[in-house]
Amino acid sequence: MAQRGVFLTQEDFLQQAFTQTPSSKTFWLTPEDRTAAEAIVNHSLPLRIRYFQHGERTAWILEEIGKELPITLGIVIEQQKIQLLRVMEYREIRGGEVRYDFFVEQFNNITLAQPNHKLNKNIDGISGATLSVRALTKSARLALLLDQQAKAAELRSAKSAH
């Protein structure tokens, strides 16, 4: 069974995520936003992160290191809940089971618990894929936090425009 591969292009992921074409947006992380986000992933993040939005639905394409190599994920959030999580590209030799529906569907309807930014539900692991499971869990937490932060920034921007 092949572990590595590109399983979903960005275009295909966005077609799954949205019924209409989303707009591409850029979220500029404030120092406070970065501190909270970096506490989840335990590494530095860029100053800006691109995402896609239509209405209240956002889609985030994130990369997180599994054991040694990045795993590319697409995560859709609406109403502060994960609606869809997909492994778009998997590069490791082992642990690729994390891409299958039986695993990723555990993330559906998960939210972020406050104030510790943990998921509100435990994710069952997969023997032999511990680091890949951890990477997907961190990315889910990060996407939920970024969604909250980006929407808060939009509200602040809208208020200051009035």
Side-chain angles (χ1 to χ4, degrees):
M1 166 173 29
Q3 301 281 316
R4 298 178 184 186
V6 176
F7 305 108
L8 206 54
T9 64
Q10 177 176 298
E11 183 179 316
D12 290 339
F13 170 69
L14 293 174
Q15 283 180 347
Q16 285 184 17
F18 297 97
T19 55
Q20 296 179 334
T21 304
S23 55
S24 175
K25 296 190 163 195
T26 302
F27 174 50
W28 288 84
L29 285 85
T30 66
E32 297 81 24
D33 292 336
R34 281 186 77 192
T35 298
E38 289 173 354
I40 290 173
V41 294
N42 297 318
H43 60 76
S44 63
L45 291 170
L47 293 174
R48 62 179 191 251
I49 297 177
R50 193 167 135 223
Y51 68 103
F52 301 88
Q53 183 172 7
H54 187 279
E56 288 298 306
R57 182 173 274 230
T58 61
W60 303 83
I61 297 175
L62 304 172
E63 285 194 343
E64 186 58 43
I65 300 294
K67 182 175 181 180
E68 297 169 348
L69 299 168
I71 301 168
T72 304
L73 303 165
I75 303 169
V76 178
I77 299 172
E78 190 168 8
Q79 297 178 340
Q80 299 181 352
K81 292 180 186 171
I82 293 178
Q83 303 298 316
L84 179 74
L85 184 145
R86 291 288 178 257
V87 174
M88 297 172 62
E89 185 169 358
Y90 194 81
R91 298 168 182 89
E92 300 281 2
I93 296 170
R94 293 186 181 82
E97 298 87 351
V98 295
R99 73 182 173 93
Y100 293 115
D101 289 348
F102 80 87
F103 181 76
V104 296
E105 286 175 357
Q106 295 182 84
F107 291 93
N108 293 351
N109 295 311
I110 279 185
T111 61
L112 207 54
Q114 299 301 340
N116 61 4
H117 301 127
K118 300 274 188 210
L119 298 178
N120 70 335
K121 181 181 136 195
N122 283 331
I123 299 299
D124 292 334
I126 299 173
S127 182
T130 304
L131 297 175
S132 296
V133 169
R134 195 172 296 154
L136 269 64
T137 303
K138 282 199 272 185
S139 295
R141 292 173 60 205
L142 179 61
L144 284 162
L145 179 65
L146 291 172
D147 177 72
Q148 286 178 3
Q149 292 173 335
K151 288 183 175 158
E154 277 183 10
L155 281 174
R156 286 190 303 272
S157 176
K159 284 181 183 174
S160 67
H162 291 323

